[in-house]
Amino acid sequence: DPVAVRALVRDARANGSDELVLVKDGVLVGDWVFTAGRAPIQTMSITKSVLSLAVGVLVDAGKLDLDQPVSTWFPEWKSGAHAKITVRHLLSHTSGLSEPERTVELYRSRDFVAHALARPVEREPGTEFHYSNEGANLVSAVIARVSGERADRFVARTLFAPLGIGDFWWSLDRAGNAHGLAGLHLRPRELARLGELIDRRGRWEGRQIVSEGWLERSTAQLASVQPNSKRLGLFWWLAPAWTRVEVDDATVARWRDAGVDAAFIERVAPVRGKVFPSASALAAELRALFGDPALKEWTLQTTERGVPDARFDFGPIDGVYSAGTLGQYLVVLPRDHLVAVRMRRAPKGRPDPHAPDPAFPDFVERVQGLLR
């Protein structure tokens, strides 16, 4: 829809995007560069999804099984609760590993892999979703152990070289491990090629880079344990055709049982019973109520107490996407052969509080809305 495309470009410019790329049916619709500079941009957590593709290459080659315990390569985990953790648990954020509240502690460590291996197990592996940067660093380490080469080099050889991606760089810790939680720097147009690889069912110029079977498992099938507010594959988020979000009576009852403040429940009253078309739509109304861009009180009162922040209902899976801090996005809608990338460099100085949300929280829904 040309009108929707123009609106997306306008809003991408307004919210501080550095670049926006759209590819339809294998043809570049547009590559809009809003700021000077073509250097690779930090993809943030999209790095995790690239590692998922690399895992698929190893699975396809028969060198790795998702149900192998991580202790296969790290014998210090052969006893106790750690012995139950498998590669599948890492890829689905269900390892049960303790996660620091902030990544500062992790980035201060010399060896990201050793840091992850030393984390205690807080939950029974495979039973609860808990987003894990520590687990992502272990996926990078497993790729290195299985392939015999550092994870970034394995990705460069097996994925990037066939796609013609050469200008990139990947952060390393001081022990020489490729970061897993983030760290991959790519140009937006080249990140879009990874989306095109998924759209083409893993084939590129006549060569099967990663199997259709792996892409089905990782980018189209629901992982066995799901978060409350999203749909998850294996280090990929799945995009439903529609989402309905509501703070219903059952949710509020669970809040009361968990000891949520009565004053907080009263403040939320204006949104109770209203149905929103996305989590970002609910968040926008909550920001108007709480005046907190980060919605810290909302998080502390709900998810931090182990109760859902709302009821979510989802339609059938429409596509797949990866997202990262700063508002990095790679969206693929295979049925319609549409690939979209939005990237943003780390801002300098304090953000304008009156400017549109730079994280572009409804980008996935906006991409879905580009189609007639």
Side-chain angles (χ1 to χ4, degrees):
D1 184 340
V3 175
V5 169
R6 287 194 293 271
L8 182 68
V9 174
R10 178 199 65 210
D11 293 346
R13 184 192 302 274
N15 68 14
S17 304
D18 283 280
E19 196 162 341
L20 172 70
V21 178
L22 294 178
V23 179
K24 179 77 168 73
D25 297 315
V27 177
L28 181 66
V29 175
D31 184 355
W32 295 270
V33 181
F34 303 112
T35 60
R38 284 276 189 167
I41 300 174
Q42 162 72 283
T43 65
M44 304 306 288
S45 285
I46 294 176
T47 303
K48 298 178 176 73
S49 300
V50 176
L51 290 178
S52 175
L53 292 173
V55 168
V57 173
L58 292 171
V59 170
D60 292 341
K63 296 181 178 180
L64 179 63
D65 187 299
L66 294 189
D67 294 317
Q68 285 179 275
V70 177
S71 63
T72 303
W73 306 279
F74 298 99
E76 55 265 56
W77 272 16
K78 282 191 176 293
S79 61
H82 292 90
K84 299 179 182 179
I85 299 174
T86 66
V87 177
R88 188 187 304 276
H89 294 148
L90 299 180
L91 290 168
S92 58
H93 296 288
T94 58
S95 67
L97 284 177
S98 167
E99 192 76 14
E101 289 187 14
R102 300 173 60 198
T103 56
V104 173
E105 175 186 331
L106 177 55
Y107 278 109
R108 285 175 177 168
S109 66
R110 178 182 179 276
D111 187 328
F112 283 19
V113 178
H115 191 274
L117 292 171
R119 302 299 298 182
V121 175
E122 290 186 334
R123 295 164 291 276
E124 179 71 16
T127 62
E128 293 182 40
F129 169 88
H130 193 79
Y131 192 84
S132 178
N133 287 315
E134 301 281 1
N137 287 329
L138 287 176
V139 170
S140 175
V142 167
I143 291 170
R145 292 291 178 96
V146 175
S147 68
E149 55 188 321
R150 207 170 63 198
D152 59 316
R153 293 172 177 165
F154 179 76
V155 170
R157 178 173 61 83
T158 61
L159 292 172
F160 290 175
L163 299 179
I165 299 173
D167 187 11
F168 74 95
W169 61 280
W170 203 305
S171 301
L172 307 177
D173 66 19
R174 284 173 286 165
N177 302 301
H179 292 187
L181 77 166
L184 170 61
H185 296 67
L186 279 174
R187 288 194 177 101
R189 181 66 187 91
E190 295 187 325
L191 178 57
R193 288 186 203 168
L194 292 171
E196 291 182 77
L197 178 67
I198 294 172
D199 182 48
R200 298 178 186 185
R201 298 180 179 273
R203 292 187 67 81
W204 194 268
E205 296 183 348
R207 176 181 172 186
Q208 194 75 38
I209 307 301
V210 62
S211 71
E212 290 188 44
W214 175 256
L215 293 179
E216 175 69 20
R217 293 166 72 184
S218 60
T219 70
Q221 293 181 3
L222 295 171
S224 58
V225 177
Q226 292 291 305
N228 180 58
S229 61
K230 295 181 180 180
R231 300 296 82 180
L232 176 68
L234 297 177
F235 270 3
W236 288 92
W237 300 110
L238 308 186
W242 52 262
T243 302
R244 298 191 185 105
V245 189
E246 179 185 2
V247 179
D248 61 354
D249 292 341
T251 299
V252 174
R254 292 188 64 180
W255 291 356
R256 289 196 175 98
D257 291 342
V260 171
D261 292 344
F264 171 83
I265 295 175
E266 183 64 29
R267 289 181 67 188
V268 176
V271 301
R272 284 184 63 178
K274 294 178 66 174
V275 178
F276 296 86
S278 66
S280 58
L282 171 62
E285 190 142 342
L286 288 172
R287 289 189 184 98
L289 286 174
F290 290 91
D292 177 5
L295 293 177
K296 294 177 183 177
E297 184 180 358
W298 176 263
T299 302
L300 287 172
Q301 292 286 351
T302 59
T303 54
E304 291 296 320
R305 293 176 181 266
V307 292
D309 53 0
R311 172 185 169 182
F312 286 77
D313 295 308
F314 302 97
I317 299 304
D318 194 33
V320 62
Y321 70 98
S322 185
T325 303
L326 298 178
Q328 319 297 44
Y329 287 99
L330 167 61
V331 183
V332 186
L333 304 180
R335 183 189 63 192
D336 300 291
H337 304 294
L338 178 62
V339 175
V341 168
R342 184 266 187 169
M343 297 190 78
R344 173 174 168 258
R345 292 182 177 87
K348 296 179 181 179
R350 293 185 177 181
D352 180 358
H354 304 293
D357 190 341
F360 215 155
D362 62 345
F363 182 75
V364 177
E365 292 91 342
R366 293 288 298 275
V367 170
Q368 291 173 298
L370 294 178
L371 301 161
R372 291 186 185 275

PDB file of all heavy atoms in Angstrom, residues 2 15 20 29 77 79 82 207 229 283 289 310 338:
ATOM      1  N   PRO A   2       0.950   1.995  -1.097  1.00  0.00           N
ATOM      2  CA  PRO A   2       1.857   3.155  -1.175  1.00  0.00           C
ATOM      3  C   PRO A   2       1.615   4.196  -0.088  1.00  0.00           C
ATOM      4  O   PRO A   2       2.556   4.810   0.421  1.00  0.00           O
ATOM      5  CB  PRO A   2       1.563   3.725  -2.569  1.00  0.00           C
ATOM      6  CG  PRO A   2       0.951   2.612  -3.333  1.00  0.00           C
ATOM      7  CD  PRO A   2       0.202   1.786  -2.346  1.00  0.00           C
ATOM      8  N   ASN A  15      10.964   9.433  14.318  1.00  0.00           N
ATOM      9  CA  ASN A  15      11.348   8.841  15.610  1.00  0.00           C
ATOM     10  C   ASN A  15      12.833   8.503  15.708  1.00  0.00           C
ATOM     11  O   ASN A  15      13.240   7.733  16.574  1.00  0.00           O
ATOM     12  CB  ASN A  15      10.481   7.620  15.945  1.00  0.00           C
ATOM     13  CG  ASN A  15      10.724   6.445  15.016  1.00  0.00           C
ATOM     14  OD1 ASN A  15      11.701   6.406  14.265  1.00  0.00           O
ATOM     15  ND2 ASN A  15       9.830   5.471  15.059  1.00  0.00           N
ATOM     16  N   LEU A  20      15.864   2.689   7.008  1.00  0.00           N
ATOM     17  CA  LEU A  20      14.703   1.828   6.830  1.00  0.00           C
ATOM     18  C   LEU A  20      14.831   1.141   5.480  1.00  0.00           C
ATOM     19  O   LEU A  20      15.108   1.793   4.471  1.00  0.00           O
ATOM     20  CB  LEU A  20      13.411   2.653   6.864  1.00  0.00           C
ATOM     21  CG  LEU A  20      12.102   1.942   6.513  1.00  0.00           C
ATOM     22  CD1 LEU A  20      11.717   0.956   7.611  1.00  0.00           C
ATOM     23  CD2 LEU A  20      10.978   2.959   6.301  1.00  0.00           C
ATOM     24  N   VAL A  29      12.184  -2.254  -2.469  1.00  0.00           N
ATOM     25  CA  VAL A  29      11.181  -1.193  -2.568  1.00  0.00           C
ATOM     26  C   VAL A  29      11.819   0.147  -2.247  1.00  0.00           C
ATOM     27  O   VAL A  29      11.574   1.155  -2.917  1.00  0.00           O
ATOM     28  CB  VAL A  29      10.006  -1.468  -1.608  1.00  0.00           C
ATOM     29  CG1 VAL A  29       9.009  -0.310  -1.612  1.00  0.00           C
ATOM     30  CG2 VAL A  29       9.322  -2.775  -1.969  1.00  0.00           C
ATOM     31  N   TRP A  77      29.127 -28.669  34.322  1.00  0.00           N
ATOM     32  CA  TRP A  77      27.678 -28.712  34.499  1.00  0.00           C
ATOM     33  C   TRP A  77      27.130 -30.146  34.535  1.00  0.00           C
ATOM     34  O   TRP A  77      25.937 -30.347  34.432  1.00  0.00           O
ATOM     35  CB  TRP A  77      26.988 -27.944  33.361  1.00  0.00           C
ATOM     36  CG  TRP A  77      26.813 -26.480  33.628  1.00  0.00           C
ATOM     37  CD1 TRP A  77      27.436 -25.726  34.571  1.00  0.00           C
ATOM     38  CD2 TRP A  77      25.931 -25.595  32.937  1.00  0.00           C
ATOM     39  NE1 TRP A  77      27.016 -24.419  34.511  1.00  0.00           N
ATOM     40  CE2 TRP A  77      26.085 -24.307  33.509  1.00  0.00           C
ATOM     41  CE3 TRP A  77      25.029 -25.752  31.887  1.00  0.00           C
ATOM     42  CZ2 TRP A  77      25.368 -23.197  33.065  1.00  0.00           C
ATOM     43  CZ3 TRP A  77      24.320 -24.641  31.442  1.00  0.00           C
ATOM     44  CH2 TRP A  77      24.491 -23.381  32.032  1.00  0.00           C
ATOM     45  N   SER A  79      26.718 -32.187  36.906  1.00  0.00           N
ATOM     46  CA  SER A  79      25.989 -32.579  38.112  1.00  0.00           C
ATOM     47  C   SER A  79      25.057 -31.452  38.543  1.00  0.00           C
ATOM     48  O   SER A  79      25.216 -30.297  38.140  1.00  0.00           O
ATOM     49  CB  SER A  79      26.967 -32.909  39.247  1.00  0.00           C
ATOM     50  OG  SER A  79      27.750 -31.773  39.574  1.00  0.00           O
ATOM     51  N   HIS A  82      22.159 -27.899  36.828  1.00  0.00           N
ATOM     52  CA  HIS A  82      22.714 -27.490  35.534  1.00  0.00           C
ATOM     53  C   HIS A  82      22.738 -28.641  34.533  1.00  0.00           C
ATOM     54  O   HIS A  82      22.683 -28.409  33.318  1.00  0.00           O
ATOM     55  CB  HIS A  82      24.136 -26.949  35.709  1.00  0.00           C
ATOM     56  CG  HIS A  82      24.205 -25.646  36.445  1.00  0.00           C
ATOM     57  ND1 HIS A  82      24.333 -25.576  37.809  1.00  0.00           N
ATOM     58  CD2 HIS A  82      24.159 -24.366  36.002  1.00  0.00           C
ATOM     59  CE1 HIS A  82      24.374 -24.311  38.185  1.00  0.00           C
ATOM     60  NE2 HIS A  82      24.267 -23.543  37.106  1.00  0.00           N
ATOM     61  N   ARG A 207      21.790 -22.386  -3.765  1.00  0.00           N
ATOM     62  CA  ARG A 207      22.442 -23.167  -2.698  1.00  0.00           C
ATOM     63  C   ARG A 207      21.580 -23.133  -1.446  1.00  0.00           C
ATOM     64  O   ARG A 207      21.079 -22.085  -1.058  1.00  0.00           O
ATOM     65  CB  ARG A 207      23.822 -22.575  -2.406  1.00  0.00           C
ATOM     66  CG  ARG A 207      24.564 -23.238  -1.259  1.00  0.00           C
ATOM     67  CD  ARG A 207      25.902 -22.571  -1.041  1.00  0.00           C
ATOM     68  NE  ARG A 207      26.557 -23.043   0.168  1.00  0.00           N
ATOM     69  CZ  ARG A 207      27.688 -22.540   0.651  1.00  0.00           C
ATOM     70  NH1 ARG A 207      28.301 -21.544   0.021  1.00  0.00           N
ATOM     71  NH2 ARG A 207      28.213 -23.028   1.770  1.00  0.00           N
ATOM     72  N   SER A 229       3.185 -12.275  26.860  1.00  0.00           N
ATOM     73  CA  SER A 229       2.835 -11.171  25.976  1.00  0.00           C
ATOM     74  C   SER A 229       3.325 -11.306  24.542  1.00  0.00           C
ATOM     75  O   SER A 229       3.048 -10.434  23.721  1.00  0.00           O
ATOM     76  CB  SER A 229       3.393  -9.861  26.552  1.00  0.00           C
ATOM     77  OG  SER A 229       4.808  -9.938  26.646  1.00  0.00           O
ATOM     78  N   ALA A 283       0.447   0.035  26.161  1.00  0.00           N
ATOM     79  CA  ALA A 283       1.530   0.763  26.813  1.00  0.00           C
ATOM     80  C   ALA A 283       1.384   2.267  26.616  1.00  0.00           C
ATOM     81  O   ALA A 283       1.648   3.055  27.536  1.00  0.00           O
ATOM     82  CB  ALA A 283       2.879   0.290  26.269  1.00  0.00           C
ATOM     83  N   LEU A 289      -1.360   7.410  31.786  1.00  0.00           N
ATOM     84  CA  LEU A 289      -1.852   7.295  33.162  1.00  0.00           C
ATOM     85  C   LEU A 289      -0.742   7.464  34.191  1.00  0.00           C
ATOM     86  O   LEU A 289      -0.907   8.131  35.205  1.00  0.00           O
ATOM     87  CB  LEU A 289      -2.517   5.930  33.362  1.00  0.00           C
ATOM     88  CG  LEU A 289      -3.888   5.690  32.735  1.00  0.00           C
ATOM     89  CD1 LEU A 289      -4.293   4.243  32.933  1.00  0.00           C
ATOM     90  CD2 LEU A 289      -4.920   6.621  33.342  1.00  0.00           C
ATOM     91  N   ALA A 310      -1.353  -8.391  31.771  1.00  0.00           N
ATOM     92  CA  ALA A 310      -2.610  -8.286  31.038  1.00  0.00           C
ATOM     93  C   ALA A 310      -2.917  -9.654  30.447  1.00  0.00           C
ATOM     94  O   ALA A 310      -2.094 -10.575  30.486  1.00  0.00           O
ATOM     95  CB  ALA A 310      -2.517  -7.231  29.935  1.00  0.00           C
ATOM     96  N   LEU A 338       7.598 -10.242   2.099  1.00  0.00           N
ATOM     97  CA  LEU A 338       7.942  -8.888   2.518  1.00  0.00           C
ATOM     98  C   LEU A 338       8.990  -8.954   3.627  1.00  0.00           C
ATOM     99  O   LEU A 338       8.833  -9.697   4.603  1.00  0.00           O
ATOM    100  CB  LEU A 338       6.698  -8.152   3.020  1.00  0.00           C
ATOM    101  CG  LEU A 338       6.911  -6.725   3.552  1.00  0.00           C
ATOM    102  CD1 LEU A 338       7.440  -5.815   2.462  1.00  0.00           C
ATOM    103  CD2 LEU A 338       5.602  -6.167   4.117  1.00  0.00           C
TER     104      LEU A 338
END
